[in-house]
Amino acid sequence: MTSLQASPIILSSSSNKISAAIHLPKHPRAPLSVPKMPTRNLVEEVNKRAGFTNTIPMTKPIDVESYNSTSIANTQLYALLEAVADRVEMHNNIGKQRDNWNTLLLNSVNMITLTAATLTGVGAIGGAGMPLLALKLSSALLYSAATGLLLIMNKIQPSQLAEEQRNATRLFKQLQSQIQTILTLGNPTQEDVKIVMEKVLALDKAFPLPLLGAMLDKFPSKFEPAVWWPSKQSQNKTKAQEGKFHKMAKNGWSEELEVEMRDIIEVVKRKDIEDYVRLGNLVLKINKILAISGPLLTGVAAIGSTFVGNGSWAAIVAVAAGALGSAVNAFEHGGQVGMVFEMYRNSAGFFRQLEESIEGTLEERDVENRENGELFEMKVALKFGRSLSQLKELARKSAYSRREGTSIDEFASKLF
């Protein structure tokens, strides 16, 4: 019993110690209230508590609609950039392929023609009988094959096709750089997307990939400069009249700069475009003559080879016509006359595009909507391969020649 009674005392004393160790002294309860946050911005509140009073105010809320529009335009431009990069690769590959066509077909036709001429000569020297018949038949077939291949070559002009694809590759690369510049500068708009899309479609139309149905006419009735840019819409624009200027000294434009640009346009029209059109028409006539002469000569040789053995004149005509046909073919396709024609077409198109660009800029009456005048002048000078001082000197010469009624003695471009 004594042990049982002592135990509660120990537990009690132990309990009292634990209780004293755990329980804290009680204090009167005070009501807790959460302080209300001030209505000012959280960042401003933190700055104020930290002692920063002169802080930069928060920017305005982002315009969600504008942000979404910019984001969509960005996505569309990236999609166009991928399409343009793909077109660069396609035109580059097809250009190489068509250049190979020109080389392979040229060598094949010349070898066929010369072989046929050799067989004709051997047949004329040899006697009669079955060997002569075999030689006559072989030479006639080879001449006929050469005539057919020449007709195809002259129709499609492989050297001109290759030059078209080279120009398309260059222009698509140029457009690719323009898209990358727009994306780098940021904040593209739907108008930028629309302009890029129109340029892509205009290039597709100017330099078609397929041969059947969409191939450009290789022998047009009249030489015309190439056009690979979308047509400008002159809506909401009024044409600027020469001699009537408005006061302007902003966005880099001035009255003197407008006069300078108009004088340069006159040089481009009277010298560069006119000269390339003249040369283009000359090359077109030469190419037409060569395209008719080659198949005609090989056709005459094919007919003449069938009469070998019946007289010396038949053999002479067959051999001579075959040799001449081979020479004409070598000059036309080896000299790449079609490529020269296409080069002149694109050179004239380059100056026509530059002319339209300058005129379109000057037609815009609101100078704030124009490209910066100093930048525009620098771009024009670079396209002509001139310095700014040389460009101004050219404009002065143009103005002087117009006043005096004489022709200017130099071209606008120093590049080509």
Side-chain angles (χ1 to χ4, degrees), residues 322-365:
L324 284 174
S326 180
V328 168
N329 182 44
F331 181 75
E332 180 184 8
H333 298 288
Q336 299 192 344
V337 179
M339 182 273 291
V340 175
F341 172 74
E342 183 64 21
M343 183 182 68
Y344 285 150
R345 252 184 93 245
N346 281 277
S347 297
F350 168 80
F351 291 111
R352 181 64 56 82
Q353 183 193 29
L354 195 56
E355 176 193 345
E356 290 187 9
S357 173
I358 295 174
E359 288 179 343
T361 301
L362 296 179
E363 285 172 5
E364 177 58 61
R365 302 302 296 167

mmCIF file of all heavy atoms in Angstrom, residues 322-365:
data_model
loop_
_atom_site.group_PDB
_atom_site.id
_atom_site.type_symbol
_atom_site.label_atom_id
_atom_site.label_comp_id
_atom_site.label_asym_id
_atom_site.label_seq_id
_atom_site.Cartn_x
_atom_site.Cartn_y
_atom_site.Cartn_z
ATOM 1 N N GLY A 322 25.159 19.279 -142.841
ATOM 2 C CA GLY A 322 25.359 18.735 -141.500
ATOM 3 C C GLY A 322 26.416 19.488 -140.721
ATOM 4 O O GLY A 322 26.258 19.772 -139.531
ATOM 5 N N ALA A 323 27.519 19.821 -141.410
ATOM 6 C CA ALA A 323 28.592 20.568 -140.744
ATOM 7 C C ALA A 323 28.115 21.965 -140.345
ATOM 8 O O ALA A 323 28.404 22.445 -139.241
ATOM 9 C CB ALA A 323 29.804 20.653 -141.669
ATOM 10 N N LEU A 324 27.390 22.617 -141.239
ATOM 11 C CA LEU A 324 26.868 23.958 -140.920
ATOM 12 C C LEU A 324 25.858 23.897 -139.768
ATOM 13 O O LEU A 324 25.839 24.767 -138.891
ATOM 14 C CB LEU A 324 26.214 24.575 -142.153
ATOM 15 C CG LEU A 324 27.166 25.119 -143.226
ATOM 16 C CD1 LEU A 324 26.384 25.563 -144.450
ATOM 17 C CD2 LEU A 324 27.978 26.295 -142.671
ATOM 18 N N GLY A 325 25.011 22.859 -139.792
ATOM 19 C CA GLY A 325 24.042 22.707 -138.705
ATOM 20 C C GLY A 325 24.720 22.533 -137.358
ATOM 21 O O GLY A 325 24.287 23.098 -136.334
ATOM 22 N N SER A 326 25.794 21.762 -137.357
ATOM 23 C CA SER A 326 26.558 21.576 -136.116
ATOM 24 C C SER A 326 27.173 22.892 -135.651
ATOM 25 O O SER A 326 27.186 23.200 -134.454
ATOM 26 C CB SER A 326 27.637 20.517 -136.351
ATOM 27 O OG SER A 326 28.391 20.329 -135.169
ATOM 28 N N ALA A 327 27.686 23.697 -136.592
ATOM 29 C CA ALA A 327 28.284 24.989 -136.237
ATOM 30 C C ALA A 327 27.237 25.962 -135.684
ATOM 31 O O ALA A 327 27.472 26.664 -134.698
ATOM 32 C CB ALA A 327 28.979 25.582 -137.456
ATOM 33 N N VAL A 328 26.072 25.989 -136.343
ATOM 34 C CA VAL A 328 24.996 26.882 -135.867
ATOM 35 C C VAL A 328 24.538 26.483 -134.469
ATOM 36 O O VAL A 328 24.338 27.331 -133.592
ATOM 37 C CB VAL A 328 23.807 26.848 -136.869
ATOM 38 C CG1 VAL A 328 22.579 27.517 -136.257
ATOM 39 C CG2 VAL A 328 24.196 27.543 -138.162
ATOM 40 N N ASN A 329 24.395 25.174 -134.275
ATOM 41 C CA ASN A 329 23.973 24.685 -132.966
ATOM 42 C C ASN A 329 24.998 25.037 -131.886
ATOM 43 O O ASN A 329 24.645 25.440 -130.773
ATOM 44 C CB ASN A 329 23.774 23.172 -133.031
ATOM 45 C CG ASN A 329 23.289 22.604 -131.715
ATOM 46 O OD1 ASN A 329 22.400 23.158 -131.078
ATOM 47 N ND2 ASN A 329 23.875 21.486 -131.291
ATOM 48 N N ALA A 330 26.286 24.884 -132.222
ATOM 49 C CA ALA A 330 27.341 25.218 -131.258
ATOM 50 C C ALA A 330 27.316 26.703 -130.924
ATOM 51 O O ALA A 330 27.506 27.091 -129.765
ATOM 52 C CB ALA A 330 28.701 24.818 -131.823
ATOM 53 N N PHE A 331 27.077 27.549 -131.944
ATOM 54 C CA PHE A 331 27.052 28.996 -131.692
ATOM 55 C C PHE A 331 25.845 29.387 -130.843
ATOM 56 O O PHE A 331 25.954 30.202 -129.924
ATOM 57 C CB PHE A 331 27.034 29.753 -133.022
ATOM 58 C CG PHE A 331 27.038 31.241 -132.862
ATOM 59 C CD1 PHE A 331 28.193 31.913 -132.502
ATOM 60 C CD2 PHE A 331 25.881 31.975 -133.047
ATOM 61 C CE1 PHE A 331 28.189 33.295 -132.333
ATOM 62 C CE2 PHE A 331 25.864 33.350 -132.885
ATOM 63 C CZ PHE A 331 27.022 34.010 -132.532
ATOM 64 N N GLU A 332 24.678 28.787 -131.163
ATOM 65 C CA GLU A 332 23.452 29.170 -130.456
ATOM 66 C C GLU A 332 23.455 28.699 -129.014
ATOM 67 O O GLU A 332 23.213 29.489 -128.079
ATOM 68 C CB GLU A 332 22.237 28.613 -131.182
ATOM 69 C CG GLU A 332 20.918 28.980 -130.501
ATOM 70 C CD GLU A 332 19.718 28.354 -131.163
ATOM 71 O OE1 GLU A 332 19.913 27.510 -132.073
ATOM 72 O OE2 GLU A 332 18.581 28.680 -130.765
ATOM 73 N N HIS A 333 23.726 27.415 -128.813
ATOM 74 C CA HIS A 333 23.618 26.855 -127.462
ATOM 75 C C HIS A 333 24.949 26.851 -126.707
ATOM 76 O O HIS A 333 24.962 26.972 -125.491
ATOM 77 C CB HIS A 333 23.033 25.439 -127.536
ATOM 78 C CG HIS A 333 21.657 25.411 -128.105
ATOM 79 N ND1 HIS A 333 20.548 25.877 -127.416
ATOM 80 C CD2 HIS A 333 21.201 24.995 -129.320
ATOM 81 C CE1 HIS A 333 19.470 25.738 -128.164
ATOM 82 N NE2 HIS A 333 19.842 25.203 -129.329
ATOM 83 N N GLY A 334 26.056 26.715 -127.449
ATOM 84 C CA GLY A 334 27.356 26.843 -126.795
ATOM 85 C C GLY A 334 27.623 28.282 -126.393
ATOM 86 O O GLY A 334 28.181 28.557 -125.320
ATOM 87 N N GLY A 335 27.224 29.218 -127.255
ATOM 88 C CA GLY A 335 27.335 30.643 -126.922
ATOM 89 C C GLY A 335 26.245 31.133 -125.997
ATOM 90 O O GLY A 335 26.282 32.279 -125.555
ATOM 91 N N GLN A 336 25.236 30.278 -125.719
ATOM 92 C CA GLN A 336 24.149 30.576 -124.786
ATOM 93 C C GLN A 336 23.462 31.911 -125.131
ATOM 94 O O GLN A 336 23.350 32.823 -124.317
ATOM 95 C CB GLN A 336 24.661 30.601 -123.349
ATOM 96 C CG GLN A 336 25.245 29.282 -122.901
ATOM 97 C CD GLN A 336 25.492 29.194 -121.411
ATOM 98 O OE1 GLN A 336 25.506 30.197 -120.706
ATOM 99 N NE2 GLN A 336 25.703 27.992 -120.929
ATOM 100 N N VAL A 337 23.013 31.984 -126.383
ATOM 101 C CA VAL A 337 22.328 33.191 -126.845
ATOM 102 C C VAL A 337 21.035 33.403 -126.062
ATOM 103 O O VAL A 337 20.662 34.545 -125.734
ATOM 104 C CB VAL A 337 22.039 33.092 -128.362
ATOM 105 C CG1 VAL A 337 21.314 34.343 -128.847
ATOM 106 C CG2 VAL A 337 23.343 32.904 -129.134
ATOM 107 N N GLY A 338 20.343 32.304 -125.739
ATOM 108 C CA GLY A 338 19.120 32.435 -124.939
ATOM 109 C C GLY A 338 19.396 33.007 -123.564
ATOM 110 O O GLY A 338 18.614 33.807 -123.032
ATOM 111 N N MET A 339 20.515 32.625 -122.955
ATOM 112 C CA MET A 339 20.894 33.169 -121.655
ATOM 113 C C MET A 339 21.164 34.670 -121.748
ATOM 114 O O MET A 339 20.782 35.438 -120.860
ATOM 115 C CB MET A 339 22.131 32.435 -121.132
ATOM 116 C CG MET A 339 22.615 32.880 -119.757
ATOM 117 S SD MET A 339 23.745 34.291 -119.798
ATOM 118 C CE MET A 339 25.179 33.566 -120.540
ATOM 119 N N VAL A 340 21.813 35.096 -122.838
ATOM 120 C CA VAL A 340 22.095 36.527 -123.030
ATOM 121 C C VAL A 340 20.781 37.307 -123.148
ATOM 122 O O VAL A 340 20.626 38.393 -122.570
ATOM 123 C CB VAL A 340 22.975 36.739 -124.276
ATOM 124 C CG1 VAL A 340 23.161 38.224 -124.562
ATOM 125 C CG2 VAL A 340 24.325 36.063 -124.085
ATOM 126 N N PHE A 341 19.820 36.742 -123.894
ATOM 127 C CA PHE A 341 18.512 37.389 -124.029
ATOM 128 C C PHE A 341 17.838 37.546 -122.666
ATOM 129 O O PHE A 341 17.311 38.606 -122.331
ATOM 130 C CB PHE A 341 17.629 36.569 -124.973
ATOM 131 C CG PHE A 341 16.199 37.030 -125.028
ATOM 132 C CD1 PHE A 341 15.852 38.185 -125.701
ATOM 133 C CD2 PHE A 341 15.196 36.305 -124.396
ATOM 134 C CE1 PHE A 341 14.532 38.606 -125.740
ATOM 135 C CE2 PHE A 341 13.877 36.718 -124.426
ATOM 136 C CZ PHE A 341 13.542 37.883 -125.111
ATOM 137 N N GLU A 342 17.874 36.480 -121.861
ATOM 138 C CA GLU A 342 17.257 36.531 -120.538
ATOM 139 C C GLU A 342 17.985 37.515 -119.632
ATOM 140 O O GLU A 342 17.365 38.208 -118.811
ATOM 141 C CB GLU A 342 17.252 35.139 -119.915
ATOM 142 C CG GLU A 342 16.560 35.044 -118.563
ATOM 143 C CD GLU A 342 15.076 35.349 -118.644
ATOM 144 O OE1 GLU A 342 14.500 35.240 -119.739
ATOM 145 O OE2 GLU A 342 14.502 35.703 -117.599
ATOM 146 N N MET A 343 19.288 37.617 -119.770
ATOM 147 C CA MET A 343 20.065 38.567 -118.977
ATOM 148 C C MET A 343 19.645 40.001 -119.298
ATOM 149 O O MET A 343 19.476 40.828 -118.404
ATOM 150 C CB MET A 343 21.558 38.375 -119.256
ATOM 151 C CG MET A 343 22.472 39.269 -118.434
ATOM 152 S SD MET A 343 24.197 39.032 -118.854
ATOM 153 C CE MET A 343 24.240 39.708 -120.513
ATOM 154 N N TYR A 344 19.466 40.291 -120.592
ATOM 155 C CA TYR A 344 19.015 41.629 -120.979
ATOM 156 C C TYR A 344 17.594 41.906 -120.473
ATOM 157 O O TYR A 344 17.273 43.024 -120.068
ATOM 158 C CB TYR A 344 19.077 41.790 -122.504
ATOM 159 C CG TYR A 344 20.480 41.967 -123.045
ATOM 160 C CD1 TYR A 344 20.828 41.518 -124.326
ATOM 161 C CD2 TYR A 344 21.467 42.576 -122.282
ATOM 162 C CE1 TYR A 344 22.112 41.670 -124.822
ATOM 163 C CE2 TYR A 344 22.756 42.734 -122.775
ATOM 164 C CZ TYR A 344 23.075 42.285 -124.034
ATOM 165 O OH TYR A 344 24.347 42.433 -124.520
ATOM 166 N N ARG A 345 16.750 40.869 -120.530
ATOM 167 C CA ARG A 345 15.379 41.015 -120.016
ATOM 168 C C ARG A 345 15.376 41.408 -118.545
ATOM 169 O O ARG A 345 14.659 42.308 -118.112
ATOM 170 C CB ARG A 345 14.631 39.684 -120.177
ATOM 171 C CG ARG A 345 13.573 39.678 -121.257
ATOM 172 C CD ARG A 345 12.833 38.354 -121.277
ATOM 173 N NE ARG A 345 11.646 38.444 -120.464
ATOM 174 C CZ ARG A 345 11.412 37.773 -119.353
ATOM 175 N NH1 ARG A 345 12.307 36.947 -118.884
ATOM 176 N NH2 ARG A 345 10.293 37.908 -118.708
ATOM 177 N N ASN A 346 16.186 40.714 -117.759
ATOM 178 C CA ASN A 346 16.225 40.991 -116.326
ATOM 179 C C ASN A 346 16.917 42.305 -116.008
ATOM 180 O O ASN A 346 16.551 42.979 -115.048
ATOM 181 C CB ASN A 346 16.910 39.829 -115.602
ATOM 182 C CG ASN A 346 15.998 38.642 -115.405
ATOM 183 O OD1 ASN A 346 15.212 38.589 -114.473
ATOM 184 N ND2 ASN A 346 16.069 37.682 -116.316
ATOM 185 N N SER A 347 17.921 42.669 -116.794
ATOM 186 C CA SER A 347 18.577 43.962 -116.577
ATOM 187 C C SER A 347 17.615 45.109 -116.853
ATOM 188 O O SER A 347 17.535 46.075 -116.079
ATOM 189 C CB SER A 347 19.813 44.076 -117.480
ATOM 190 O OG SER A 347 20.765 43.091 -117.156
ATOM 191 N N ALA A 348 16.858 44.996 -117.951
ATOM 192 C CA ALA A 348 15.848 46.021 -118.242
ATOM 193 C C ALA A 348 14.765 46.031 -117.174
ATOM 194 O O ALA A 348 14.277 47.097 -116.778
ATOM 195 C CB ALA A 348 15.229 45.759 -119.621
ATOM 196 N N GLY A 349 14.400 44.837 -116.665
ATOM 197 C CA GLY A 349 13.420 44.772 -115.589
ATOM 198 C C GLY A 349 13.916 45.415 -114.312
ATOM 199 O O GLY A 349 13.143 46.040 -113.567
ATOM 200 N N PHE A 350 15.204 45.272 -114.034
ATOM 201 C CA PHE A 350 15.801 45.905 -112.850
ATOM 202 C C PHE A 350 15.624 47.420 -112.899
ATOM 203 O O PHE A 350 15.224 48.052 -111.911
ATOM 204 C CB PHE A 350 17.291 45.541 -112.772
ATOM 205 C CG PHE A 350 18.073 46.348 -111.781
ATOM 206 C CD1 PHE A 350 18.043 46.047 -110.436
ATOM 207 C CD2 PHE A 350 18.856 47.419 -112.206
ATOM 208 C CE1 PHE A 350 18.763 46.801 -109.516
ATOM 209 C CE2 PHE A 350 19.578 48.174 -111.299
ATOM 210 C CZ PHE A 350 19.539 47.864 -109.949
ATOM 211 N N PHE A 351 15.916 48.021 -114.060
ATOM 212 C CA PHE A 351 15.774 49.473 -114.180
ATOM 213 C C PHE A 351 14.308 49.893 -114.193
ATOM 214 O O PHE A 351 13.956 50.961 -113.671
ATOM 215 C CB PHE A 351 16.483 49.962 -115.447
ATOM 216 C CG PHE A 351 17.976 49.854 -115.376
ATOM 217 C CD1 PHE A 351 18.667 48.954 -116.160
ATOM 218 C CD2 PHE A 351 18.695 50.654 -114.499
ATOM 219 C CE1 PHE A 351 20.040 48.844 -116.086
ATOM 220 C CE2 PHE A 351 20.078 50.567 -114.423
ATOM 221 C CZ PHE A 351 20.753 49.655 -115.215
ATOM 222 N N ARG A 352 13.440 49.058 -114.761
ATOM 223 C CA ARG A 352 12.007 49.382 -114.747
ATOM 224 C C ARG A 352 11.479 49.356 -113.308
ATOM 225 O O ARG A 352 10.679 50.217 -112.921
ATOM 226 C CB ARG A 352 11.264 48.376 -115.615
ATOM 227 C CG ARG A 352 9.756 48.592 -115.710
ATOM 228 C CD ARG A 352 9.391 49.904 -116.390
ATOM 229 N NE ARG A 352 9.957 50.025 -117.702
ATOM 230 C CZ ARG A 352 9.439 49.484 -118.807
ATOM 231 N NH1 ARG A 352 8.339 48.739 -118.729
ATOM 232 N NH2 ARG A 352 10.016 49.678 -119.981
ATOM 233 N N GLN A 353 11.906 48.384 -112.525
ATOM 234 C CA GLN A 353 11.481 48.318 -111.129
ATOM 235 C C GLN A 353 11.989 49.525 -110.342
ATOM 236 O O GLN A 353 11.261 50.114 -109.535
ATOM 237 C CB GLN A 353 12.001 47.038 -110.480
ATOM 238 C CG GLN A 353 11.534 46.856 -109.033
ATOM 239 C CD GLN A 353 12.275 45.771 -108.295
ATOM 240 O OE1 GLN A 353 13.442 45.495 -108.597
ATOM 241 N NE2 GLN A 353 11.639 45.136 -107.342
ATOM 242 N N LEU A 354 13.237 49.916 -110.593
ATOM 243 C CA LEU A 354 13.802 51.075 -109.906
ATOM 244 C C LEU A 354 13.056 52.352 -110.285
ATOM 245 O O LEU A 354 12.779 53.204 -109.432
ATOM 246 C CB LEU A 354 15.285 51.201 -110.267
ATOM 247 C CG LEU A 354 16.138 52.111 -109.391
ATOM 248 C CD1 LEU A 354 16.068 51.703 -107.930
ATOM 249 C CD2 LEU A 354 17.582 52.097 -109.871
ATOM 250 N N GLU A 355 12.710 52.464 -111.552
ATOM 251 C CA GLU A 355 11.935 53.618 -112.017
ATOM 252 C C GLU A 355 10.577 53.688 -111.310
ATOM 253 O O GLU A 355 10.169 54.747 -110.816
ATOM 254 C CB GLU A 355 11.744 53.523 -113.531
ATOM 255 C CG GLU A 355 10.878 54.614 -114.120
ATOM 256 C CD GLU A 355 10.453 54.299 -115.541
ATOM 257 O OE1 GLU A 355 11.053 53.393 -116.164
ATOM 258 O OE2 GLU A 355 9.501 54.945 -116.023
ATOM 259 N N GLU A 356 9.870 52.540 -111.249
ATOM 260 C CA GLU A 356 8.563 52.519 -110.593
ATOM 261 C C GLU A 356 8.684 52.785 -109.096
ATOM 262 O O GLU A 356 7.817 53.416 -108.486
ATOM 263 C CB GLU A 356 7.885 51.167 -110.829
ATOM 264 C CG GLU A 356 7.432 50.956 -112.252
ATOM 265 C CD GLU A 356 6.618 49.678 -112.424
ATOM 266 O OE1 GLU A 356 6.266 49.052 -111.389
ATOM 267 O OE2 GLU A 356 6.339 49.307 -113.579
ATOM 268 N N SER A 357 9.766 52.313 -108.491
ATOM 269 C CA SER A 357 9.972 52.536 -107.057
ATOM 270 C C SER A 357 10.154 54.017 -106.753
ATOM 271 O O SER A 357 9.557 54.550 -105.811
ATOM 272 C CB SER A 357 11.186 51.743 -106.585
ATOM 273 O OG SER A 357 11.503 52.052 -105.241
ATOM 274 N N ILE A 358 10.966 54.704 -107.566
ATOM 275 C CA ILE A 358 11.198 56.135 -107.346
ATOM 276 C C ILE A 358 9.919 56.928 -107.612
ATOM 277 O O ILE A 358 9.533 57.808 -106.832
ATOM 278 C CB ILE A 358 12.347 56.639 -108.243
ATOM 279 C CG1 ILE A 358 13.659 55.965 -107.834
ATOM 280 C CG2 ILE A 358 12.488 58.154 -108.140
ATOM 281 C CD1 ILE A 358 14.826 56.284 -108.756
ATOM 282 N N GLU A 359 9.237 56.606 -108.716
ATOM 283 C CA GLU A 359 8.002 57.333 -109.042
ATOM 284 C C GLU A 359 6.927 57.105 -107.984
ATOM 285 O O GLU A 359 6.211 58.026 -107.596
ATOM 286 C CB GLU A 359 7.494 56.897 -110.414
ATOM 287 C CG GLU A 359 8.332 57.418 -111.568
ATOM 288 C CD GLU A 359 7.817 56.944 -112.913
ATOM 289 O OE1 GLU A 359 7.025 55.969 -112.933
ATOM 290 O OE2 GLU A 359 8.209 57.539 -113.939
ATOM 291 N N GLY A 360 6.810 55.849 -107.513
ATOM 292 C CA GLY A 360 5.815 55.555 -106.479
ATOM 293 C C GLY A 360 6.100 56.296 -105.185
ATOM 294 O O GLY A 360 5.180 56.749 -104.498
ATOM 295 N N THR A 361 7.374 56.438 -104.843
ATOM 296 C CA THR A 361 7.737 57.171 -103.626
ATOM 297 C C THR A 361 7.415 58.649 -103.771
ATOM 298 O O THR A 361 6.893 59.280 -102.840
ATOM 299 C CB THR A 361 9.238 56.990 -103.329
ATOM 300 O OG1 THR A 361 9.520 55.593 -103.172
ATOM 301 C CG2 THR A 361 9.636 57.713 -102.058
ATOM 302 N N LEU A 362 7.711 59.232 -104.934
ATOM 303 C CA LEU A 362 7.452 60.658 -105.137
ATOM 304 C C LEU A 362 5.959 60.959 -105.248
ATOM 305 O O LEU A 362 5.536 62.087 -104.965
ATOM 306 C CB LEU A 362 8.173 61.139 -106.403
ATOM 307 C CG LEU A 362 9.706 61.075 -106.371
ATOM 308 C CD1 LEU A 362 10.279 61.559 -107.696
ATOM 309 C CD2 LEU A 362 10.261 61.899 -105.219
ATOM 310 N N GLU A 363 5.165 59.971 -105.662
ATOM 311 C CA GLU A 363 3.724 60.189 -105.755
ATOM 312 C C GLU A 363 3.062 60.295 -104.387
ATOM 313 O O GLU A 363 1.970 60.855 -104.265
ATOM 314 C CB GLU A 363 3.078 59.043 -106.543
ATOM 315 C CG GLU A 363 3.321 59.125 -108.045
ATOM 316 C CD GLU A 363 2.834 57.889 -108.765
ATOM 317 O OE1 GLU A 363 2.226 57.030 -108.088
ATOM 318 O OE2 GLU A 363 3.065 57.772 -109.979
ATOM 319 N N GLU A 364 3.693 59.753 -103.366
ATOM 320 C CA GLU A 364 3.157 59.841 -102.002
ATOM 321 C C GLU A 364 3.357 61.260 -101.482
ATOM 322 O O GLU A 364 4.465 61.716 -101.253
ATOM 323 C CB GLU A 364 3.880 58.840 -101.091
ATOM 324 C CG GLU A 364 3.456 58.896 -99.643
ATOM 325 C CD GLU A 364 1.972 58.652 -99.457
ATOM 326 O OE1 GLU A 364 1.506 57.563 -99.817
ATOM 327 O OE2 GLU A 364 1.300 59.579 -98.961
ATOM 328 N N ARG A 365 2.238 61.997 -101.305
ATOM 329 C CA ARG A 365 2.322 63.410 -100.937
ATOM 330 C C ARG A 365 2.684 63.614 -99.467
ATOM 331 O O ARG A 365 3.290 64.616 -99.112
ATOM 332 C CB ARG A 365 0.980 64.106 -101.230
ATOM 333 C CG ARG A 365 0.529 64.030 -102.666
ATOM 334 C CD ARG A 365 1.558 64.623 -103.615
ATOM 335 N NE ARG A 365 1.750 66.045 -103.391
ATOM 336 C CZ ARG A 365 2.744 66.748 -103.908
ATOM 337 N NH1 ARG A 365 3.655 66.158 -104.643
ATOM 338 N NH2 ARG A 365 2.844 68.038 -103.668
#
